[in-house]
Structures are given as C-alpha cells and as structure tokens.
Amino acid sequence: MDKRIALEAFAALSQETRLDVLRLLIRAGGEGMLAGDIAVALDVRQNTMSTNLAVLHRAGLVRNERQGRAVRYFADMAGLRSLLSFLMEDCCGGAPDLCRPVLDALVCDC
Amino acid sequence: MDKRIALEAFAALSQETRLDVLRLLIRAGGEGMLAGDIAVALDVRQNTMSTNLAVLHRAGLVRNERQGRAVRYFADMAGLRSLLSFLMEDCCGGAPDLCRPVLDALVCDC
DNA sequence: CATTTATATCTAGTATTCTTGATATATGGA
DNA sequence: TCCATATATCAAGAATACTAGATATAAATG
C-alpha cells in the first residue's frame, strides 16, 4: 500500500461521521447499505453524507454499486486489510512477543 | 474504547510524520527509541517532533519512560489493539466470510 | 550552583478541513 | 419528454490543525 493512501484512510477515519459510517457498513456486512439509508441512520444531511462517502471511497475504505437510481455502499474489507497490514509491517520482525497480542485480538472465531 | 479516543488516534495517524513515528516504533519493538533519535531518524525539528509525540501519546498510541534526561518512546501495542478492535467490532456477527480475510492478514506467524 | 543536554510548551501565522445552501447529474416512471 | 427521486458537486464562511521560533522545564555534570 502507498503511504499516501494510508494517510488518506486515517484522515477519513478521524472524522466522527465517517468513522460511524465505516463501522455501520462493517456491521452491515455483505448486504451493504444505500447511501440514503446511511444518511438517515446517522442523521446527517444528504450532501454532507455524500461528501463523506466520497472521502471514504477515495481512501479505499468503501466500495459502491449503483442500484437503480440509488447507490449501495459496502465496507471495503480488502482495503481495510491492506491498511492495517501497512501499519503493522515488520511488527513481528522487531518484536514478536509484543506483536502477537495485538494480532490475536483481531482473530475472531466466527 | 471510547469513540473520542478512537477519533484522536485516527487523527494522530493521518499526519505523515506521526504515521512514520508509529511505524518506526512498531519496528523498533520493545527497545523503543529516544525522542531525540526519532527526530533525527525522521529529520524533523525537535519541537515539532515533541508536539507530534505528545499527540500520539494523548491518542494512546505510544508510551514513554524517562531515562535520565532523555525520554524513551514505545509503540503502545495495547492501545493499538483496542483501537483496531473498536473498528472491527461486530464484524463477525454481520459477515464472517468478509471479516475473516481481514483478520487473517494480521496474524503473523512469529 | 552554573552549565549543558534533552525534551516540552507557548504563540502566531498559515494552511487545511468541515459543513451547508444551492445546484447539477443520473435514473426511473408516467 | 416531463417530473420525481437519489446522489453528487460547487462555493464560501467557520473551525481546526500544522509548523517553527522563542522559551521553559528537567536532569546530569563539573
């Protein structure tokens, strides 16, 4: 992953509405959510939400699919994975014992 | 984890110098690095680096220990873990199949 | 206790980002 | 084609963040 994209991704997540959106979409899973429904769910105005969705999209954190005249958004798990991998790069090489608990916490047993 | 802290952490990581610092400290592992050495390694002025280290510290991403008249900084792996857990919360409940690859990528075999 | 070294804080100018009203684009239906 | 619905873009004022010079604090040393 390019550092520039990583910075964009973290900047995207540093804003409350956008963090809420990504967590909402992560919970929504493969079904995703329509842009309008996201705006309603989080009580944010339409154009503000559209701007924020665009920021998340540019940062590689969400995908979307047009569906009729609506647009369905999904958390981009591949993008998220590469972001987290970029952050943890060389963690194990330097300190396996410190690294392990961090990574273990992310292994859910589903 | 409190959402406010999560937002602070992502904001901290959205700035190039601070992202570089955390990745440097993650690679440095348990030995950490002295504040001054971090500044030299990344070619950033002393006071700017001090400010940025303070931001990372407030965000729960680094720890420090005074060592004589220097201060040694470490990546705060526990803080990082809780941040990532906060982000991925309920991922499995909603979509195990999408969630798994993300988490697997973070499991290093060291 | 004066000096040196290492780090932290304060302040102000500059730059970036956020929100929102207004408006544009895109799709579907009558 | 005309209208309604869904989303995106534009522009500008307000708020926030970044950097760096100056200076303060903290610890070691002579």
Side-chain angles (χ1 to χ4, degrees):
Chain A
M1 153 158 311
D2 188 357
K3 194 201 287 184
R4 186 178 304 178
I5 301 286
L7 286 168
E8 252 188 86
F10 287 124
L13 295 176
S14 70
Q15 203 273 338
E16 182 164 17
T17 297
R18 291 190 300 254
L19 179 57
D20 287 342
V21 168
L22 186 60
R23 301 209 323 139
L24 189 61
L25 288 177
I26 284 174
R27 283 194 292 273
E31 295 191 7
M33 285 181 71
L34 301 184
D37 292 343
I38 298 172
V40 169
L42 298 179
D43 192 26
V44 172
R45 287 165 196 261
Q46 182 272 319
N47 60 351
T48 299
M49 181 54 77
S50 178
T51 298
N52 282 324
L53 285 169
V55 171
L56 287 165
H57 189 258
R58 275 198 303 276
L61 293 169
V62 303
R63 293 182 295 110
N64 61 31
E65 274 175 21
R66 182 164 276 280
Q67 186 167 340
R69 48 189 165 187
V71 176
R72 186 172 294 272
Y73 280 85
F74 307 87
D76 185 335
M77 301 311 254
L80 203 42
R81 177 177 50 199
S82 63
L83 175 65
L84 300 184
S85 298
F86 174 80
L87 183 61
M88 304 304 290
E89 207 172 51
D90 297 332
C91 157
C92 291
D97 52 331
L98 284 180
C99 173
R100 172 67 82 175
V102 175
L103 303 176
D104 281 352
L106 290 169
V107 183
C108 53
D109 50 0
C110 56
Chain B
M1 152 159 312
D2 188 357
K3 193 201 287 185
R4 187 178 302 180
I5 300 286
L7 287 168
E8 251 187 86
F10 287 124
L13 294 176
S14 71
Q15 203 272 339
E16 182 164 19
T17 297
R18 292 191 300 253
L19 179 57
D20 288 342
V21 168
L22 185 60
R23 301 210 322 140
L24 189 61
L25 288 177
I26 284 174
R27 285 194 291 274
E31 296 191 5
M33 285 181 72
L34 301 184
D37 292 343
I38 298 172
V40 170
L42 298 180
D43 192 27
V44 172
R45 288 165 194 261
Q46 182 273 319
N47 59 352
T48 300
M49 181 54 77
S50 179
T51 298
N52 282 323
L53 286 170
V55 172
L56 286 166
H57 188 258
R58 273 199 303 276
L61 293 168
V62 304
R63 293 180 297 110
N64 61 29
E65 274 174 20
R66 182 163 277 280
Q67 184 168 341
R69 49 188 165 187
V71 176
R72 186 172 293 272
Y73 279 85
F74 308 87
D76 186 336
M77 300 311 253
L80 203 43
R81 177 178 48 199
S82 63
L83 175 64
L84 300 184
S85 298
F86 173 80
L87 183 61
M88 303 304 290
E89 208 172 51
D90 296 332
C91 158
C92 291
D97 52 331
L98 284 180
C99 173
R100 171 69 81 176
V102 176
L103 302 176
D104 281 351
L106 289 169
V107 182
C108 52
D109 50 358
C110 57

